Amino acid sequence: MTAIIEARGLGKRYGRRQALSDCTLSVPAGRVVGLVGPNGAGKSTLLQLACGMLTPTSGSIEVLGERPASSTAQMARVGFVAQDTPTYAALSIADHLCLGAKLNPRWDAALAERRIQQLGLDPAQRAGRLSGGQRAQLALTLAVAKRPDLLLLDEPVAALDPLARRGFLQSLMEFVAETEATVVLSSHLVSDLERVCDHLIVLAASRVQAVGEIDDLLATHFRLTTARREADSLPAGMQVVQADHTDRQSTFVVRADATVDDPSWVMEPLALEDLVLSYMTRAGAAGADHRPVLETQR
Amino acid sequence: MIEFHIEARSGVAPYMQLVHQVRQALRLGLLSEGDRLPKVKDVAAKVAINPNTVLKAYRQLENEGLVSPKPGVGTFVTGTLGDMPRSEHEPLRQELQRWLARARGAGLDEESIEALFLNTFRSSTEEEK
């Protein structure tokens, strides 16, 4: 299987702040990848490294087999929609399409026009007069008409109301079904990601916490409730992601190949949202331990 | 043609939800042999789900012998769910009711009865595989 994105030990530092550390991952072709994590986790940094708007300070990243933005041919194959789906407020929709046609060698004018028509938008309208949902759809149209092999979307639905969000995801899924392109989108909304993605990257505290096919992640993570016991007393092969204790009960989120039957505990499947949250909590706790160290460095 | 929907909070994997909905449509007679399932692209666009999820559901249904793909044309219903007529459910229901009465008589509460039933049900379906 060919990897569309291949990162090895990838890192990005802004002055003193490490935005992304030691990121090693591989995104297979034809996937819709969800990138999830708290604010400041490094999601935008990773996406901007992938499209070549940023260059790494350590490690390496290859996109479609080349360094990002290393050639115009490579750039033509990568679409990027930045956070808040920016468009040119003073330009009309038709102007945007005209610009797209002039700037992109693989531009699909028929597709762009068809999509604008389907959305019921007036080509003469200025982008500044569009609603948030319409603007997002215009930005998606521009990215899609470019016919990219890889489409990167940074929080495309964050600012949209539920109806506009659903409309956007419908358009995106239609594009995926038509072209079999690879998509990476970041979002806070795990329920949206579960719907549209088949692959997930959990990013927190500037590091990759978990990565894999969503079905595999769900099949290998469990909530285990038992009488109070220490995490290291659990069977080998169970990797503890999170542990919570009361005076008599312990609740663990564990990674294991399968459920283990034991009369002394209850082992249940975990919802994707809880799975993501437990990795984020673990990263947050590790970050809190490091904080005093950072302060003394100042 | 049938329409799909996805319940995000159900805890059932999205592809299984599609599988259930096709089976249900077969049982309800909304789908019968020769009918075409919606195109993958149309389901993805309408329901806003990953096309791979739809493909996975259709493959599962194919493995169950309920549908088969005709390349370039679509996926068609080829099987039926050979459920017995409702009238024949009755003796089974009565038997189950007698069993429930015995379980209650033995002092089991509702949750224990449910757990016992589900565990037995699961292990017997696993044995059949």
Side-chain angles (χ1 to χ4, degrees), chain A residues 166-221:
Chain A
R166 181 58 61 86
F168 185 92
L169 294 177
Q170 285 173 327
S171 301
L172 181 62
M173 287 304 104
E174 188 174 7
F175 162 71
V176 171
E178 270 172 5
T179 64
E180 296 171 354
T182 306
V183 177
V184 182
L185 79 154
S186 65
S187 177
H188 286 298
L189 298 158
V190 179
S191 56
D192 279 351
L193 293 180
E194 190 164 16
R195 228 185 152 90
V196 302
C197 299
D198 38 27
H199 204 87
L200 195 73
I201 301 172
V202 182
L203 207 60
S206 92
R207 288 174 186 278
V208 175
Q209 306 291 335
V211 59
E213 299 286 296
I214 289 181
D215 287 345
D216 294 343
L217 288 171
L218 287 174
T220 52
H221 285 81

Side-chain angles (χ1 to χ4, degrees), chain A residues 67-87:
Chain A
R67 196 160 49 79
S70 56
S71 66
T72 46
Q74 204 260 2
M75 282 167 81
R77 295 173 66 198
V78 180
F80 175 61
V81 178
Q83 214 158 357
D84 303 326
T85 57
T87 52

Side-chain angles (χ1 to χ4, degrees), chain A residues 10-298:
Chain A
L10 181 67
K12 177 70 188 175
R13 175 184 280 277
Y14 298 105
R16 201 173 280 175
R17 197 172 78 81
Q18 191 74 35
L20 193 69
S21 334
D22 196 25
C23 168
T24 297
L25 55 85
S26 153
V27 171
R31 295 297 195 284
V32 182
V33 183
L35 183 57
V36 63
N39 290 327
K43 302 192 294 290
S44 298
T45 302
L46 178 57
L47 290 174
Q48 288 176 24
L49 285 166
C51 72
M53 283 175 72
L54 291 175
T55 49
T57 42
S58 55
S60 69
I61 180 165
E62 279 192 356
V63 170
L64 303 165
E66 285 179 71
R67 196 160 49 79
S70 56
S71 66
T72 46
Q74 204 260 2
M75 282 167 81
R77 295 173 66 198
V78 180
F80 175 61
V81 178
Q83 214 158 357
D84 303 326
T85 57
T87 52
Y88 297 99
L91 298 188
S92 70
I93 291 176
D95 293 338
H96 277 86
L97 298 194
C98 179
L99 208 55
K102 297 227 158 107
L103 292 174
N104 294 287
R106 309 210 294 181
W107 186 257
D108 188 338
L111 172 87
E113 274 157 32
R114 195 174 68 235
R115 270 190 44 86
I116 294 301
Q117 202 177 10
Q118 270 174 7
L119 294 164
L121 295 177
D122 172 10
Q125 185 149 25
R126 286 185 183 186
R129 308 286 298 269
L130 297 174
S131 71
Q134 290 171 329
R135 209 180 63 227
Q137 289 277 17
L138 173 59
L140 180 64
T141 300
L142 296 172
V144 159
K146 188 184 156 134
R147 285 281 170 191
D149 295 321
L150 171 66
L151 180 57
L152 304 163
L153 303 150
D154 194 357
E155 303 259 5
V157 296
L160 303 186
D161 64 65
L163 191 63
R165 207 167 79 211
R166 181 58 61 86
F168 185 92
L169 294 177
Q170 285 173 327
S171 301
L172 181 62
M173 287 304 104
E174 188 174 7
F175 162 71
V176 171
E178 270 172 5
T179 64
E180 296 171 354
T182 306
V183 177
V184 182
L185 79 154
S186 65
S187 177
H188 286 298
L189 298 158
V190 179
S191 56
D192 279 351
L193 293 180
E194 190 164 16
R195 228 185 152 90
V196 302
C197 299
D198 38 27
H199 204 87
L200 195 73
I201 301 172
V202 182
L203 207 60
S206 92
R207 288 174 186 278
V208 175
Q209 306 291 335
V211 59
E213 299 286 296
I214 289 181
D215 287 345
D216 294 343
L217 288 171
L218 287 174
T220 52
H221 285 81
F222 306 91
R223 178 181 287 109
L224 197 152
T225 316
T226 169
R228 189 181 166 116
R229 63 191 286 176
E230 293 310 312
D232 51 21
S233 73
L234 291 172
M238 270 191 197
Q239 202 184 323
V240 176
V241 179
Q242 199 187 355
D244 281 304
H245 304 283
T246 68
D247 53 345
R248 35 180 81 174
Q249 192 190 43
S250 293
T251 309
F252 300 101
V253 170
V254 297
R255 183 171 194 151
D257 288 338
T259 50
V260 179
D261 280 328
D262 188 318
S264 72
W265 67 51
V266 181
M267 197 166 171
E268 300 163 307
L270 202 61
L272 192 65
E273 183 142 22
D274 291 337
L275 189 158
V276 167
L277 286 175
S278 62
Y279 276 105
M280 286 189 197
T281 309
R282 182 178 76 166
D289 291 342
H290 292 153
R291 217 164 280 150
V293 181
L294 280 178
E295 275 173 8
T296 51
Q297 277 177 344
R298 276 185 206 149

